[in-house]
Amino acid sequence: MGQFIRECLNSVLEQTLQEKEVICIDDGSTDDTIDILMEYKEKANIRILQQKNQGSGVARNRGISASTGKYIAFMDADDFYPSQDTLEKMYLTAQNEMAEICGGSGCTFRNGVYTYTGFRKGFVFEKEGWISKEDFPVINGYWRFIYKSDFIKDNQICFPGYLRCQDVPFFLQAILCAGRVYCMREVTYVYRKEHKQVSFTQRKAIDFAKGMRDSLMISKKGQMLPIQRQILNELQGELSAMMYLYGQENAEMRDIIHQINEIIADGNSDQNATWLLKEGEEIAAYVKNAQEEIRCLLEKLKNETRVLIYGAGTVGKRVRIFLEENGISLEGFVVSDVHQNAASLDGLQIRCIDDYADVKDECMVIVATFPYLHEEIENTLREKEFKNVYTLSLEKFHLFNGEVVH
């Protein structure tokens, strides 16, 4: 994280909250990160803990154990705070409200553009106040909150040692133990997105599945229905593709799939049954059929006059590369609101979907976003009378590729 750590540390050290300790855990970095940390140590009051690479969960747990402050905040080395008084506002609010967990909205930073919507539903709080665990809306963004140290340590809340998806079980367990969270409207964390890309190995895929399994159990125990619904949605797409790809051969992954299905099926509701994952021999057959569907899509696209990708985010970028590698020429990216995006993405123009209203019959639109946006985009395209539309299933996309890059 050498290319980002200076901006990150500056945003922490420049906070108006003076009474703070800064603990940097170097988890076996291989670039110049440690040199930069040592440089900062000479001029700032920071502590540096070094360890061989064990994953961010183990590193954060070590930070928790080493901390002596009244509250604990977490900061990833590539992110930053939106303003100099962010920590002070969270701390004073937590003190005034006697909150064990207190924080605010989140935003993303990509290609120089700040985005306050679209990353995850529930990522922005529309009003300030308490939210009970039963009504808490989103599984992501634990780092936009501060946590009372005694509360975390007394309840032995820690990050599981998974290589991926350690944060969600930690966050949900904290919410479960606290019972409620005090939420502020203002943005309290900036999440940098443009460089984040993870190729999932078998171990990372299995750990991710374990993290989601644990999170589903916690949300069910706490009757956290919005969280349960989000996890069930997350279990479709990238995650299900990972589980199916490795579940064809790996017994541990097949066992996790079965455990997840047992949690989903508990209660014997027909609605729950619709979320069940494929098991056993179903998996190989489904993978084969999904790969054939994407193969047919590629053949169709080769005969289209104007191909547009709806979505200029992480998914759209990946799909653009995939299509061009398969000989598909693209017209460009389209979005609903150009003001929430840069002018172009990797040299390809980003335009408003309305710009193509007069030539809509000539266009083939590929909806390439995360699944939670699909319905809204499909409705938009239907209202604007775009008829040649294909909503790309992330699950089938990754199954065709035979790998998952997140």
Side-chain angles (χ1 to χ4, degrees):
M1 289 298 168
Q3 61 179 317
F4 303 114
I5 190 68
R6 292 181 189 278
E7 184 176 1
C8 172
L9 277 175
N10 288 340
S11 83
V12 173
L13 295 172
E14 292 169 0
Q15 290 294 302
T16 55
L17 183 66
Q18 296 300 309
E19 299 80 10
K20 59 181 179 292
E21 59 178 356
V22 181
I23 304 172
C24 301
I25 298 94
D26 178 57
D27 185 40
S29 63
T30 56
D31 60 2
D32 60 345
T33 296
I34 188 63
D35 296 329
I36 297 171
L37 290 179
M38 292 301 182
E39 172 193 323
Y40 270 76
K41 186 178 181 180
E42 292 182 1
K43 57 185 179 182
N45 182 25
I46 67 172
R47 295 165 61 193
I48 300 173
L49 306 177
Q50 290 183 267
Q51 62 185 39
K52 66 178 182 180
N53 180 249
Q54 299 174 69
S56 57
V58 174
R60 291 171 189 142
N61 289 338
R62 189 175 178 191
I64 291 172
S65 298
S67 66
T68 61
K70 188 171 183 179
Y71 286 86
I72 298 172
F74 298 95
M75 169 64 70
D76 286 352
D78 48 346
D79 299 333
F80 53 95
Y81 286 121
S83 62
Q84 292 184 345
D85 60 354
T86 296
L87 276 179
E88 184 172 12
K89 285 182 177 178
M90 282 197 286
Y91 172 73
L92 292 175
T93 302
Q95 285 281 87
N96 291 337
E97 300 295 335
M98 294 185 291
E100 289 163 325
I101 306 174
C102 176
S105 300
C107 79
T108 60
F109 181 76
R110 186 199 342 247
N111 299 325
V113 177
Y114 292 89
T115 303
Y116 300 91
T117 59
F119 177 46
R120 285 285 189 270
K121 287 188 176 179
F123 212 59
V124 174
F125 298 114
E126 296 182 356
K127 60 181 180 179
E128 180 164 329
W130 288 101
I131 299 181
S132 68
K133 64 178 176 60
E134 293 86 358
D135 295 325
F136 200 81
V138 68
I139 65 176
N140 307 83
Y142 79 99
W143 19 246
R144 55 198 169 114
F145 297 88
I146 61 173
Y147 305 81
K148 198 167 186 180
S149 181
D150 290 346
F151 161 72
I152 292 294
K153 294 175 179 178
D154 291 347
N155 285 284
Q156 299 181 331
I157 302 169
C158 62
F159 293 85
Y162 303 148
L163 293 182
R164 300 298 299 171
C165 198
Q166 324 88 350
D167 53 336
V168 180
F170 169 87
F171 190 34
L172 297 188
Q173 187 64 35
I175 294 172
L176 176 65
C177 291
R180 60 179 187 167
V181 179
Y182 195 84
C183 302
M184 304 155 57
R185 289 186 62 190
E186 69 182 83
V187 173
T188 55
Y189 196 91
V190 182
Y191 179 84
R192 192 190 300 268
K193 285 197 71 177
E194 70 263 24
H195 69 290
K196 286 181 166 72
Q197 182 168 298
V198 178
S199 295
F200 278 89
T201 61
Q202 179 173 281
R203 184 71 262 157
K204 287 180 180 179
I206 288 171
D207 280 1
F208 202 111
K210 285 180 177 178
M212 295 303 284
R213 174 204 61 195
D214 297 352
S215 301
L216 189 60
M217 285 193 297
I218 295 168
S219 65
K220 194 156 193 175
K221 178 181 178 182
Q223 299 181 329
M224 303 154 78
L225 295 182
I227 295 292
Q228 285 184 59
R229 284 194 293 270
Q230 186 181 351
I231 293 172
L232 291 173
N233 277 311
E234 294 277 343
L235 285 169
Q236 316 298 316
E238 287 183 340
L239 182 54
S240 56
M242 282 192 292
M243 290 191 287
Y244 294 154
L245 284 170
Y246 291 109
Q248 295 177 92
E249 304 291 340
N250 185 276
E252 186 177 9
M253 183 64 90
R254 290 198 298 271
D255 188 46
I256 297 169
I257 292 173
H258 182 68
Q259 292 168 16
I260 290 172
N261 277 344
E262 285 188 322
I263 299 169
I264 294 173
D266 185 27
N268 299 315
S269 157
D270 290 339
Q271 185 177 6
N272 287 350
T274 63
W275 294 103
L276 291 175
L277 298 164
K278 294 167 179 59
E279 292 193 60
E281 295 180 0
E282 287 183 301
I283 294 177
Y286 179 73
V287 171
K288 183 179 179 180
N289 290 335
Q291 291 172 340
E292 181 60 26
E293 180 178 327
I294 300 299
R295 195 172 289 111
C296 291
L297 171 66
L298 289 173
E299 288 303 312
K300 173 179 170 56
L301 289 173
K302 289 176 182 177
N303 297 317
E304 294 292 338
T305 306
R306 310 176 85 161
V307 179
L308 304 172
I309 295 179
Y310 200 121
T314 304
V315 179
K317 182 174 182 177
R318 263 183 249 154
V319 172
R320 181 259 180 100
I321 295 170
F322 167 72
L323 293 179
E324 290 186 342
E325 285 177 345
N326 283 274
I328 309 300
S329 298
L330 299 174
E331 176 97 6
F333 292 100
V334 289
V335 294
S336 299
D337 183 0
V338 292
H339 300 295
Q340 291 286 341
N341 293 272
S344 63
L345 177 60
D346 292 344
L348 203 60
Q349 189 174 15
I350 301 173
R351 299 179 63 181
C352 179
I353 186 63
D354 292 333
D355 293 344
Y356 289 91
D358 293 338
V359 291
K360 57 180 175 288
D361 293 336
E362 301 174 21
C363 299
M364 170 75 177
V365 183
I366 308 294
V367 178
T369 65
F370 287 111
Y372 73 94
L373 292 170
H374 286 176
E375 184 178 358
E376 178 184 343
I377 293 172
E378 288 168 351
N379 289 338
T380 296
L381 291 170
R382 194 176 300 113
E383 290 170 2
K384 297 180 184 299
E385 299 182 338
F386 282 82
K387 295 183 172 59
N388 197 3
V389 176
Y390 181 88
T391 300
L392 184 66
S393 160
L394 274 179
E395 180 181 80
K396 294 175 181 178
F397 171 69
H398 290 300
L399 289 177
F400 181 85
N401 282 337
E403 65 173 352
V404 175
V405 178
H406 178 71

